[in-house]
Amino acid sequence: MPAEHHPLRAVLETVGPQSCPGELNFHCHTICSDGSLEPKDLIQQASSNGLRHLAVTDHHSSAAYLPMQAWLRAEQEQGQPVPTLWTGMEISCILRGCLVHMLALGFEAGHPALAAYNRGDAVVGEALRADSVVKAIHDAGGLAVLAHPARYRLGFRELIDAATELGIDGGEAWYDYDMQPHWQWTPMVCEQIDAQLKNLGLLRTCGTDSHGVDLKGR
């Protein structure tokens, strides 16, 4: 499926500074990588919090997706309202000589194009290059999003421009760089990132990057 027709695009086009953490969350973790929540506990919390859409983006693992989907189906069969769960994964890669993280969102679960990145650890060699990661995400039918652009050794402006040249679909615009107990997007830097992405015609996402037991915090 061409990225411009991806069903997740319509959701991401609505993302703004107030979307997270109450409505949308496209960056969080479970025990399948370095998070604290079991997949079932995370999806239960997401549902009770009233989230409309989310993706769990464990590092180099999509293992949480199927058990969460099973829980959601059981809830739906009982007539309960549930959020929409999208596939997700956070993949390490090298961009302009800098180690960055790329979010894979809305890809086909179990697609072989992402098999090398779905084994719990970062890859080595040519597969570690950002262009290889972006291609793999697209081949699997997903969207490639540069995670937290202002957390790296190189500046976010340079990294976003470099990632754009590789065909990324968007960037994580709304993020808590101060890592507060209760998530709050960081003024100025997030606004600048949002403006740059918008000017480039790219999607903007948001996420709490939760690793603890509360989806509303870091």
Side-chain angles (χ1 to χ4, degrees):
M1 176 195 305
E4 61 268 24
H5 300 307
H6 197 288
L8 182 54
R9 291 190 69 92
V11 179
L12 296 182
E13 287 170 351
T14 71
V15 170
Q18 307 306 320
S19 301
C20 189
E23 296 185 4
L24 308 174
N25 194 342
F26 295 101
H27 192 167
C28 53
H29 300 272
T30 72
I31 62 167
C32 294
S33 63
D34 54 349
S36 302
L37 289 169
E38 294 276 353
K40 182 179 177 181
D41 293 332
L42 187 147
I43 196 62
Q44 285 179 326
Q45 187 177 144
S47 185
S48 64
N49 286 351
L51 277 172
R52 295 191 297 109
H53 294 270
L54 79 152
V56 171
T57 52
D58 282 318
H59 295 274
H60 300 278
S61 174
S62 62
Y65 179 74
L66 291 181
M68 288 191 296
Q69 276 287 63
W71 185 89
L72 290 171
R73 281 195 298 269
E75 289 293 296
Q76 284 181 308
E77 289 171 0
Q78 297 177 27
Q80 300 298 320
V82 296
T84 298
L85 177 67
W86 300 86
T87 51
M89 190 159 50
E90 188 168 10
I91 301 173
S92 298
C93 58
I94 300 296
L95 178 64
R96 290 276 174 90
C98 180
L99 180 65
V100 302
H101 292 167
M102 198 72 67
L103 300 177
L105 300 176
F107 54 86
E108 181 184 330
H111 196 285
L114 287 174
Y117 303 102
N118 199 6
R119 296 171 179 166
D121 294 304
V123 298
V124 296
E126 188 169 330
L128 186 60
R129 290 170 32 172
D131 58 339
S132 298
V133 171
V134 171
K135 182 180 185 304
I137 293 170
H138 287 162
D139 286 348
L143 299 176
V145 173
L146 181 63
H148 39 62
R151 280 192 64 185
Y152 305 114
R153 177 176 57 82
L154 296 182
F156 66 83
R157 295 188 186 282
E158 179 180 355
L159 290 174
I160 290 172
D161 284 343
T164 301
E165 293 173 5
L166 302 182
I168 65 163
D169 302 288
E172 193 169 22
W174 308 105
Y175 188 84
D176 186 354
Y177 289 99
D178 296 323
M179 299 183 185
Q180 302 172 78
H182 186 87
W183 188 92
Q184 179 63 47
W185 61 275
T186 305
M188 293 186 65
V189 62
C190 287
E191 292 168 328
Q192 293 177 58
I193 290 170
D194 180 66
Q196 182 179 359
L197 293 167
K198 185 176 182 179
N199 288 339
L200 291 167
L202 298 176
L203 296 168
R204 282 91 72 202
T205 72
C206 62
T208 58
D209 200 3
S210 300
H211 287 72
V213 296
D214 184 357
L215 270 179
K216 293 183 177 181
R218 179 66 161 78

